[in-house]
Amino acid sequence: MDEITHYIGGERVKGVSGRFSDVFNPATGEVQAQCPLASVNEFAKAVAIAEAAQPAWAATNPQRRARVMMQFVHLLNRDMDKLAEKLSSEHGKTFPDAKGDVQRGLEVVEYCIGAPELLKGEYTDSAGPGIDMYSMRQPLGVTGGITPFNFPAMIPMWMFAPAIACGNAFILKPSERDPSVPIMLAELMEEAGLPKGILQVVQGDKEAVDAMLDHPVIQSIGFVGSTPIAEYIYGRGCSNGKRVQCFGGAKNHMIIMPDADMDQAADALIGAGYGAAGERCMAISVAVPVGDETADRLIEKLVPRIEKLKVGPYTAGNDVDYGPVVTSEAKQKILGLVQSGIDQGAELVVDGRDFSLQGYEDGFFVGPHLFDKVTPDMDIYQQEIFGPVLSTVRAKSYEEALGLAMDHEMGNGTAIFTRDGDAARDFANRVNVGMIGINVPIPVPLAYHTFGGWKKSVFGDLNQHGPDAFKFYTRTKTVTARWPSGIKEGGEFNFKPME
Ligand code: NAD
């Protein structure tokens, strides 16, 4: 049985707390490795190393720091298949999806190569007589991040690349469900030229998270995961005086107007609803067709497409649409919510409950489900299912559809499918959700824009990546300078001889 390690002080270090959690192969259901769960002392050791290493890194000029990022991009491309293979084996997602996970992180690293430009300060010449004023962005010091299981490469890179490009040290506490890829990323950063101790990985659960929240040296915390944990981390981190940004769960609605291209909308829903087994914070989990006629046409297009979906292990080839969910508990939670949908009166149009794959009977596979006639009072509408289950809520009008997206407590992403520019524009302007797609089902902003939801999908002020990340990982310092020796007297500089 493999024993996964921490990555502390530039080395793979075995856990010494005596506590471990199982890492599964979700396709077979077998335990493939043990992940160590750090104690408060193990976490404190990483902090001491980071604290000692960070000042020299902050003093390294931004262009040299950017060169490390450049080299890291090269190494990510070199090891893409190796990273994707490990990622699929612990997470369960298909091989192309795993490569996409690495690729979307890599794009943020590419953006961070622009650190010298992005970190340039501001300058006001002659703000007063003989007075200049300038602002600079300085790193925070030792920063930390806590990441979810569903993007074990992308989300750590979204955090550590800007943190490190800005001159901080970064301690990552990844998900204990797929903990290997973050260690590989830390090794590649050092191969790219990063000094030891600037990027460390401490594996763990609540104990390590609480150690990060309470450690006085940690200046900032980034979190991505479920809303209840996001709320907890934001509250405790802020009350400890840290800078905190937390990104939580989602319930993303896609509105289908009567004039939409129905084939395009159905294709989009297949990818956005069932891709990655629905384990994406930007997955569409609610389809809102406007009008019964639109709903009937949509369901008619969706059913044959869903029936064609190929569910299987990542090893079965690139034509697999999605793999297993991450754990048996996740599978039980999804099936429990499906049952609640049936009990509460929704119509189960496609039933994936009996799905089973020959040779993989113990894997955590969940067949695709489609519900129709879901109403807002049902648990399947209110809760994030995080599985291959799409709910259809029929709206009588555009205003009713808009109201559904507006009234839901989550506000990560949403989309509208229409040919009507007025409706699309009105939707984008009025809806209280952070990321909007117009005929685009998963509107994930690219690295040079920022990523973030609204309402209970976020706690904090700044978004992830793009220019916001450079604000989050730096403090502004403003200097007002007067140089009395430079003041002219009678047209001449008043230079005094040096004594
Ligand atoms: P999770 O909240 O269970 O875990 C996230 C992290 O928090 C992990 O590192 C975990 O070890 C830690 N954690 C878990 N319980 C904790 C506790 N009681 N105290 C302290 N730390 C704890 O989330 P997950 O299941 O790994 O990921 C799925 C969730 O993440 C979904 O809700 C999804 O929508 C969300 N997500 C959001 C975004 C976004 O950008 N908004 C992106 C990806 C995933």
Side-chain angles (χ1 to χ4, degrees), residues 147-150 173 176-177 223-226 248-249 281 384 451:
T147 50
F149 81 86
N150 68 327
K173 204 303 283 170
E176 62 275 42
R177 296 182 209 155
F223 171 86
V224 178
S226 58
C281 70
E384 184 180 35
F451 180 107

Side-chain angles (χ1 to χ4, degrees), residues 411-433:
N412 215 38
T414 187
I416 186 167
F417 274 62
T418 181
R419 288 187 171 95
D420 183 332
D422 274 350
R425 186 167 182 275
D426 183 78
F427 182 70
N429 282 339
R430 284 168 66 198
V431 73
N432 53 2
V433 171

Side-chain angles (χ1 to χ4, degrees), residues 145-151 154-155 158 173-178 204-210 213 223-230 232-233 246-251 279-282 326 384 386 410 412 435 451-453 457-458 464:
I146 300 148
T147 50
F149 81 86
N150 68 327
F151 283 97
M154 178 185 85
I155 295 177
W158 281 10
K173 204 303 283 170
S175 171
E176 62 275 42
R177 296 182 209 155
D178 41 18
D205 57 1
K206 184 171 172 21
E207 186 169 336
V209 170
D210 287 348
L213 287 168
F223 171 86
V224 178
S226 58
T227 288
I229 312 295
Y232 163 72
I233 287 175
C246 294
F247 299 87
K251 195 77 184 174
E279 291 177 319
R280 289 184 187 135
C281 70
M282 290 296 279
V326 69
E384 184 180 35
F386 226 51
M410 299 298 183
N412 215 38
M435 293 171 279
F451 180 107
S457 296
V458 75
Q464 303 191 79

Side-chain angles (χ1 to χ4, degrees), residues 10 111 152 162 164 183 201 216 231 240 329 378-379 421 431 472 476 489:
Y111 177 73
I164 289 172
I183 300 273
V201 181
E231 202 160 6
N240 283 338
E329 289 79 58
M378 295 178 184
D379 291 345
V431 73
F472 184 74
T476 305
E489 283 178 7

Side-chain angles (χ1 to χ4, degrees), residues 51-121:
E51 197 180 14
Q54 190 267 336
W57 179 243
T60 303
N61 80 52
Q63 197 151 6
R64 278 174 186 260
R65 299 201 301 253
R67 278 188 205 127
V68 172
M69 295 296 161
M70 227 181 288
Q71 184 60 10
F72 181 49
V73 167
H74 165 70
L75 297 176
L76 287 170
N77 280 316
R78 184 195 71 187
D79 287 2
M80 180 67 82
D81 284 0
K82 210 161 106 185
L83 289 159
E85 164 83 34
K86 180 53 91 178
L87 200 158
S88 288
S89 78
E90 290 185 352
H91 177 286
K93 63 175 75 173
T94 64
F95 195 63
D97 264 0
K99 281 173 123 171
D101 194 327
V102 180
Q103 177 64 30
R104 293 307 291 260
L106 180 156
E107 287 165 13
V108 171
V109 182
E110 283 174 334
Y111 177 73
C112 292
I113 294 170
E117 174 68 21
L118 290 159
L119 290 171
K120 275 198 310 205

Side-chain angles (χ1 to χ4, degrees), residues 178-194:
D178 41 18
S180 293
V181 168
I183 300 273
M184 295 163 79
L185 296 176
E187 285 179 335
L188 291 181
M189 280 289 279
E190 284 182 18
E191 189 181 340
L194 189 72

